[in-house]
Amino acid sequence: MWRNFAAVNIAVIGTGYVGLVAGTCLAETGNRVLCIDKDSEKVRWLRQGHLSIYEPGLEPLFRRATAQGRLTFGVSLKEAVDHAEILFLALPTPENEDGSADLSHVLDVVHDLAQLIQERKLVVMKSTVPVGTAARAREIFLRSHCPAVVASNPEFMREGFAVEDFMKPDRIVIGATDPWARQILAALYQPFLREDHPILFMSEESAELTKYAANTFLAMKISFMNELARLAEGCGANIDDIRLALGADDRIGGRFLFAGLGYGGSCLPKDVKALVHQARVFQVPLRLAEAVQEVNTTQLDFFLTKILRHFEGQLSGRHFAVWGLAFKPDTDDVREAPALKIIRFLFRHGASVRAFDPEASANALKQIPDLEISSDMYQALEGADALILCTEWSLFRSPDFDVMAQKLKYKVIFDGRNVYQPDEVRRRGFTYYSIGRP
Ligand SMILES: NC(=O)c1ccc[n+]([C@@H]2O[C@H](COP(=O)([O-])OP(=O)(O)OC[C@H]3O[C@@H](n4cnc5c(N)ncnc54)[C@H](O)[C@@H]3O)[C@@H](O)[C@H]2O)c1
């Protein structure tokens, strides 16, 4: 018998950025959550009381929930099935070579669950999955005579604000036709919706497509501003002024309007690609989404051209300081980070690099093992021909320009995030490049 608004036993399968935050926040409201991951090292680390990711605000919730035994970790899917009434799948859905989403992690677990689940349990897709995935999972359960019920519940959290987003979501999207599934999820999310934000019920297909639509729309805002910044630069306008004026129109909204190095991260690049791929399969090509991707790719080239031009095409033997490795501030996630693409480009051209990031160095080193890392932002500048700013961490916003001038070999800044005021840095004697500003 279902008890509305009472604590439930939950399992989260896949304890990465989404799974760990979701699991911890669900435990914070009183539920008993078992987080499962196939990475036994990660599970051991979490069991010892260490967080496996950097996410602002997560630590105190994690400490409280683990200390009180409401948040535990394991590796066994059977243990998850024995423990939980609701199982969330927060598994990776990386891109395949053709741009489609790789569903192998999700479907492997669904096949395993089909053998393990023997009574009615709710299996919730939290991973970002193409339209039809929940239906495929249901089909797998049906074929195995497994009584699991499937629902789609895409996640909209932003890394860097993930705890805030999960605890106070601006909407919850539930794709489920089964009334029992709807009732369970409505009750589970009730404590998170105290500010009267909506819970939106729809079909699984609509929920699945909503997630891709949201990410593609955000990517579109970024690509629009990046392309406009190139025009602004060409015709002597200032993208900062344009952004403020555009953002003041509440039909447009002020967020996601910053010109920069293009979108990165574990979601936008792969999700736009996957949507474009799905649309082609359905023979309804999404021209706008295709253009969004193209602008994003060429935006980095636009920035790299500034570096090449400054050094007259010769980067061999040059030495660069890089500030910021994470794909955005307040995360240690470096997946599809523009900084890593820039560093690889510099290496290919025979340059050397010393980088600093407040949180993401360890993850960057896993991707580029021979990258020289500095533990101090100013030390990273020592003897460099130029500084390249790749992530707008707060720490970089008001630096000591005198120390920078002393440490750098040449006072040259390539600002990929428009963090500094051009007049101000130029007044201090720096050669300064940014994006879309005169
Ligand atoms: N990162 C975000 O900000 C974000 C936001 C919204 C949605 N999403 C979506 O959520 C999903 C998860 O993303 P993420 O960033 O948390 O990924 P992640 O790579 O950080 O975490 C996935 C975890 O799943 C584990 N895993 C893989 N196969 C497993 C298996 N068979 N059994 C148990 N564990 C397994 C991995 O070891 C890893 O720890 C993706 O579909 C992503 O698109 C991510």
Side-chain angles (χ1 to χ4, degrees):
M1 187 62 185
W2 190 257
R3 305 171 311 276
N4 252 352
F5 306 116
V8 281
N9 290 344
I10 294 171
V12 178
I13 320 296
T15 310
Y17 284 88
V18 169
L20 184 58
V21 172
T24 306
C25 293
L26 287 163
E28 173 71 8
T29 52
N31 301 296
R32 294 166 292 269
V33 182
L34 170 60
C35 286
I36 297 292
D37 205 283
K38 69 171 185 186
D39 181 343
S40 51
E41 262 307 294
K42 185 184 278 189
V43 169
R44 200 170 57 85
W45 185 249
L46 288 160
R47 278 179 168 166
Q48 286 170 354
H50 308 293
L51 280 176
S52 48
I53 56 169
Y54 171 75
E55 187 58 49
L58 186 59
E59 178 121 24
L61 275 60
F62 173 82
R63 298 248 160 275
R64 187 158 49 232
T66 48
Q68 294 171 2
R70 275 180 286 106
L71 180 62
T72 50
F73 300 93
V75 288
S76 153
L77 208 52
K78 177 167 185 326
E79 204 188 325
V81 170
D82 291 344
H83 167 81
E85 295 151 76
I86 310 172
L87 296 106
F88 282 94
L89 306 194
L91 294 156
T93 48
E95 65 187 66
N96 285 315
E97 258 177 33
D98 63 0
S100 61
D102 173 2
L103 288 177
S104 58
H105 301 275
V106 171
L107 294 181
D108 285 356
V109 168
V110 169
H111 278 288
D112 290 345
L113 289 176
Q115 303 308 312
L116 290 168
I117 295 178
Q118 285 171 0
E119 56 189 318
R120 189 166 68 158
K121 297 196 183 232
L122 183 59
V123 175
V124 185
M125 294 281 175
K126 210 161 222 345
S127 298
T128 302
V129 289
V131 174
T133 307
R136 276 176 83 176
R138 180 173 311 101
E139 187 59 37
I140 292 167
F141 289 139
L142 270 176
R143 265 191 271 127
S144 304
H145 306 289
C146 167
V149 175
V150 181
S152 166
N153 170 220
E155 180 52 58
F156 297 95
M157 66 172 65
R158 299 160 296 167
E159 285 175 23
F161 300 92
V163 172
E164 197 183 318
D165 286 347
F166 198 94
M167 295 305 293
K168 291 181 181 178
D170 43 22
R171 82 293 210 191
I172 296 286
V173 170
I174 308 281
T177 38
D178 185 295
W180 178 74
R182 285 185 172 206
Q183 190 201 343
I184 288 177
L185 289 171
L188 183 71
Y189 279 116
Q190 197 61 36
F192 300 92
L193 295 168
R194 287 167 56 88
E195 288 176 9
D196 278 346
H197 288 155
I199 183 159
L200 302 166
F201 292 103
M202 55 186 79
S203 70
E204 291 148 7
E205 290 78 7
S206 299
E208 288 166 338
L209 191 54
T210 296
K211 173 64 194 176
Y212 285 103
N215 275 359
T216 304
F217 193 86
L218 295 171
M220 188 172 70
K221 282 183 100 174
I222 295 173
S223 277
F224 178 79
M225 290 308 283
N226 281 336
E227 204 171 36
L228 203 67
R230 296 184 217 169
L231 174 61
E233 210 168 291
C235 67
N238 186 332
I239 196 68
D240 278 350
D241 296 337
I242 298 166
R243 173 177 58 78
L244 291 173
L246 279 181
D249 183 332
D250 59 14
R251 292 170 302 175
I252 296 174
R255 290 158 76 183
F256 271 72
L257 290 185
F258 287 86
L261 297 173
Y263 57 79
S266 65
C267 291
L268 296 198
K270 79 168 173 64
D271 290 349
V272 179
K273 263 188 214 155
L275 181 63
V276 165
H277 186 275
Q278 288 170 71
R280 287 202 190 127
V281 170
F282 284 98
Q283 298 188 333
V284 189
L286 294 181
R287 301 284 180 231
L288 213 48
E290 287 172 16
V292 164
Q293 296 186 96
E294 196 199 321
V295 171
N296 200 55
T297 311
T298 50
Q299 184 66 9
L300 204 58
D301 300 339
F302 171 72
F303 184 71
L304 293 172
T305 304
K306 290 172 190 267
I307 301 176
L308 275 172
R309 271 210 204 110
H310 177 87
F311 292 101
E312 294 171 345
Q314 279 303 323
L315 299 182
S316 180
R318 296 284 180 186
H319 175 63
F320 291 90
V322 168
W323 277 2
L325 295 165
F327 83 94
K328 65 172 187 176
D330 296 316
T331 180
D332 61 352
D333 197 343
V334 297
R335 289 177 285 185
E336 294 288 320
L340 300 198
K341 293 182 184 170
I342 290 171
I343 291 167
R344 288 194 178 104
F345 169 88
L346 295 171
F347 282 176
R348 275 200 306 279
H349 282 76
S352 58
V353 173
R354 191 182 301 127
F356 169 81
D357 187 286
E359 296 293 341
S361 300
N363 283 340
L365 277 173
K366 286 183 205 153
Q367 306 265 340
I368 309 181
D370 49 351
L371 177 61
E372 192 186 337
I373 296 285
S374 175
S375 55
D376 176 271
M377 65 188 252
Y378 295 110
Q379 195 213 328
L381 306 175
E382 203 92 57
D385 290 292
L387 163 66
I388 307 175
L389 194 149
C390 293
T391 317
E392 65 278 33
W393 284 94
S394 305
L395 187 63
F396 303 147
R397 286 176 196 267
S398 308
D400 187 328
F401 286 105
D402 293 336
V403 177
M404 289 170 75
Q406 281 165 22
K407 300 272 181 190
L408 284 165
K409 184 167 160 198
Y410 300 111
K411 292 165 72 177
V412 181
I413 300 175
F414 295 94
D415 179 354
R417 301 293 179 180
N418 287 358
V419 166
Y420 304 125
Q421 286 309 315
D423 292 348
E424 175 65 14
V425 274
R426 286 187 188 128
R427 194 182 56 76
R428 292 170 178 275
F430 286 85
T431 303
Y432 180 66
Y433 299 90
S434 59
I435 292 172
R437 303 190 293 180

